[in-house]
Amino acid sequence: MEEILLKLYEMTAIGSIVEQPSFLIMYVLAFVLLYLGIKKEYEPLLLIPIAFGVLIANFPGGDMGVLAAVDKMVDGEMYHNVITLSNGEVWADAKGVPYNIYEVGLPQIAHDLGLMNFLYYMLIKTGFLPPIIFMGVGAMTDFAPMIRNLKLAFFGAAAQFGIFAVLLIGSNFFTMQEAASLAIIGGADGPTAIFTTIKLAPHLLGPIAIAAYSYMALVPVIVPLVVKLLCTEKDLKINMKEQDKLYPSSVEIKNMRVLKILFPIVTTTLVAIIVPSAVPLVGMLMFGNLIKEVGTNTSRLYDAASNSIMNAATIFLGLCVGATMTVDAFLNLQTIGIVIGGFFAFGLSIAAGILLVKLYNCFAKKKINPLIGATGLSAVPMASRVANDIALKYDSRNHVLNYCMSSNVSGVIGSAVAAGILISFLG
Amino acid sequence: MEGNFVEALKLMAVGMITVFAVLGLVIAMGNALIRFVNKYVPEDEKPAPKAAASSASAAIAPDVRAAVELAVAKITGNKGKIEKIEKI
């Protein structure tokens, strides 16, 4: 009887959890993220799958945690992309030679390492899902506000400063690849952060994705905080429509529909020539947008990109990213560094956008509300909505949403370009 | 680590210049596109069929329209939207 009870005990996860109580921290983290996603509605489409991925990855014996591939010395010889199993043994063939995971077929990965590793190495590690999500984002993005206010798109470039500033600071504490992956959080773009991290520091994917999406969810808190620190009441009362009336644009748009079709084609060509490594992101973003703008002839493609494909990609991305956050991968000093560094990257990006607008206002007749600089980070359209709410608090007639969308959308292109540069130089 | 810092500094300069250059070119290209489209494709053709559609829809009797709307709402679970009703 005692033996049966002992076997039952060993069969459950309880024994392993008692042996290694740090699993409990991961459950608490998963529950907190689930609470934020479900109850507080912070980025629920991504936080809920990520949180559930964290939960299911941390049950000993469940084999749902993603195992990192690292270069490792085994019996005095160096092997590449070696997997260490949850029981501490190296994943090896019958002769004891460690497998290189990139030389093993997907069916064997599924059989030996479980479902989540199969999904991770097929969909995430190959860099497949982030561009697919960008296609969906493109299909849901309207570039009209940017085309109407092209000049404001320049502030989307300033807001990439946080990325490079944190790269500079982070280079003292991390390797260049790790610092770049951490810094890209400042772009406030989840798929871009994931894409860059996969290419440069895949072992940090879990904490970086969590930090990126958490800070994006906290845009309604972080943007007002930075705005309060850097803007005066006079700045925030600058009414963009009144400025437009005082200094009207010299160019009138006669055919927005044709422009919206040409814009993604020409932008992709331009970006592809200058930063080819950004093409997987920018190209797919613009392709998604093109099939939206063409209209009824591609409505089925648009529907697939913005609904079924986007939804499926979001589920798999969220679950796989969550499953990378196993106890060993998450509970370490690097994670704390990522959380702190990510916050600075985010804050500095917002600040740089605001400061460039303020600098511009020192010299220009036509003043710009600094909130338009604050929305230069991606986080579309939440950052613009938050900025609009702030503007309305100071002047109930001052609707800045459309102006903010210009720098906000250009921020998506800017962060993808920044990611391309980091990958080109450090990948 | 000092080498890292210098490399990061260089990357910062190259990165920010490139991001500004790319978005600057996107802005310039956008302005050129606007001028090109204004010159060669001046008419926005979209409003015309809309007006035709609305006038066609307006010709439908209100009770018929209400019946069609109810049917569409029931079949599509309130997700469907009527843009145009035409007699064939």
Side-chain angles (χ1 to χ4, degrees):
Chain A
M1 184 66 184
E2 198 178 312
E3 201 178 316
I4 294 171
L5 284 173
L6 190 69
K7 275 193 174 173
L8 267 174
Y9 177 73
E10 281 169 1
M11 183 198 78
T12 65
I14 299 168
S16 304
I17 295 169
V18 171
E19 253 177 53
Q20 199 181 347
S22 49
F23 279 116
L24 296 172
I25 298 173
M26 299 310 292
Y27 303 149
V28 171
L29 177 74
F31 295 146
V32 169
L33 291 174
L34 280 170
Y35 172 78
L36 292 176
I38 298 167
K39 181 76 180 168
K40 295 283 178 183
E41 296 178 8
Y42 288 168
E43 296 274 343
L45 289 176
L46 268 151
L47 270 192
I48 293 170
I50 289 177
F52 213 80
V54 175
L55 187 66
I56 58 178
N58 285 288
F59 288 110
D63 286 337
M64 291 292 268
V66 169
L67 301 166
V70 290
D71 295 345
K72 196 172 183 177
M73 289 284 278
V74 180
D75 299 332
E77 262 191 79
M78 180 59 108
Y79 291 91
H80 296 291
N81 305 311
V82 174
I83 296 283
T84 305
L85 301 170
S86 48
N87 59 11
E89 287 175 15
V90 169
W91 186 41
D93 62 16
K95 292 174 189 165
V97 178
Y99 286 119
N100 177 341
I101 194 156
Y102 300 116
E103 291 170 1
V104 177
L106 284 169
Q108 193 179 348
I109 294 176
H111 180 266
D112 292 1
L113 306 179
L115 169 72
M116 206 52 90
N117 282 289
F118 167 75
L119 289 173
Y120 176 78
Y121 282 97
M122 180 176 65
L123 301 175
I124 306 278
K125 202 69 176 54
T126 51
F128 174 71
L129 283 187
I132 293 297
I133 291 200
F134 248 60
M135 178 177 74
V137 171
M140 292 190 282
T141 301
D142 185 5
F143 281 103
M146 183 176 161
I147 297 170
R148 273 192 208 102
N149 302 287
L150 271 171
K151 199 170 67 179
L152 301 180
F154 217 57
F155 300 110
Q160 308 312 317
F161 175 76
I163 295 175
F164 295 103
V166 168
L167 169 71
L168 196 66
I169 301 163
S171 65
N172 291 303
F173 307 100
F174 295 89
T175 66
M176 283 298 284
Q177 285 76 9
E178 289 170 347
S181 303
L182 154 67
I184 201 72
I185 295 172
D189 195 316
T192 303
I194 291 169
F195 188 75
T196 310
T197 309
I198 292 163
K199 301 274 181 194
L200 299 179
H203 56 287
L204 297 181
L205 182 61
I208 284 176
I210 288 282
Y213 281 110
S214 302
Y215 290 137
M216 280 165 66
L218 288 173
V219 159
V221 179
I222 300 174
V223 170
L225 186 79
V226 181
V227 166
K228 209 173 178 182
L229 282 173
L230 296 175
C231 298
T232 62
E233 197 176 327
K234 191 184 163 197
D235 290 331
L236 299 172
K237 279 186 173 172
I238 295 173
N239 191 310
M240 295 300 292
K241 279 183 185 157
E242 280 174 14
Q243 291 292 319
D244 273 349
K245 277 179 197 165
L246 283 172
Y247 308 99
S249 170
S250 56
V251 186
E252 186 200 354
I253 295 173
K254 290 182 182 167
N255 197 329
M256 181 55 94
R257 190 172 170 264
V258 173
L259 272 174
K260 287 207 290 187
I261 292 172
L262 291 175
F263 186 78
I265 301 168
V266 181
T267 304
T268 306
T269 312
L270 197 69
V271 173
I273 290 169
I274 299 168
V275 193
S277 49
V279 172
L281 294 175
V282 177
M284 292 303 274
L285 177 85
M286 294 300 172
F287 171 69
N289 187 254
L290 180 66
I291 54 178
K292 168 183 176 267
E293 298 302 347
V294 166
T296 45
N297 288 340
T298 51
S299 60
R300 282 162 57 195
L301 303 184
Y302 159 65
D303 182 46
S306 59
N307 289 307
S308 44
I309 293 175
M310 177 73 164
N311 294 343
T314 306
I315 289 174
F316 289 125
L317 184 86
L319 282 176
C320 290
V321 164
T324 61
M325 290 176 45
T326 52
V327 171
D328 303 328
F330 192 77
L331 295 181
N332 53 49
L333 280 174
Q334 270 189 330
T335 304
I336 297 168
I338 288 165
V339 171
I340 296 169
F343 181 79
F344 275 108
F346 217 87
L348 284 170
S349 290
I350 299 167
I354 292 173
L355 292 175
L356 186 69
V357 173
K358 292 184 84 154
L359 183 72
Y360 174 88
N361 284 347
C362 292
F363 303 101
K365 273 186 189 171
K366 184 177 179 178
K367 305 292 180 201
I368 293 172
N369 193 311
L371 287 166
I372 286 146
T375 52
L377 74 172
S378 304
V380 179
M382 200 201 283
S384 295
R385 281 194 203 134
V386 171
N388 192 50
D389 289 345
I390 297 171
L392 290 175
K393 262 186 205 167
Y394 289 89
D395 177 357
S396 58
R397 295 167 301 117
N398 193 9
H399 294 273
V400 293
L401 185 70
N402 268 336
Y403 301 95
C404 289
M405 279 301 286
S406 176
S407 61
N408 210 180
V409 172
S410 77
V412 179
I413 302 173
S415 59
V417 170
I421 295 161
L422 294 174
I423 293 166
S424 294
F425 278 79
L426 303 170
Chain B
M1 285 298 171
E2 200 182 317
N4 273 0
F5 187 81
V6 174
E7 195 186 345
L9 201 63
K10 281 182 193 166
L11 202 50
M12 185 185 201
V14 172
M16 284 310 290
I17 291 168
T18 312
V19 172
F20 270 104
V22 169
L23 281 174
L25 281 172
V26 168
I27 293 167
M29 175 274 300
N31 279 321
L33 265 183
I34 291 171
R35 284 172 213 282
F36 174 83
V37 171
N38 281 353
K39 193 170 180 185
Y40 296 104
V41 202
E43 294 290 315
D44 196 345
E45 292 158 4
K46 217 180 172 183
K50 257 192 175 175
S54 58
S55 63
S57 294
I60 304 291
D63 54 337
V64 176
R65 187 179 175 86
V68 174
E69 277 174 353
L70 267 176
V72 170
K74 195 172 180 186
I75 290 165
T76 62
N78 286 325
K79 284 179 185 167
K81 199 178 104 184
I82 297 170
E83 286 189 349
K84 191 166 80 170
I85 303 171
E86 268 183 303
K87 272 186 185 173
I88 346 176

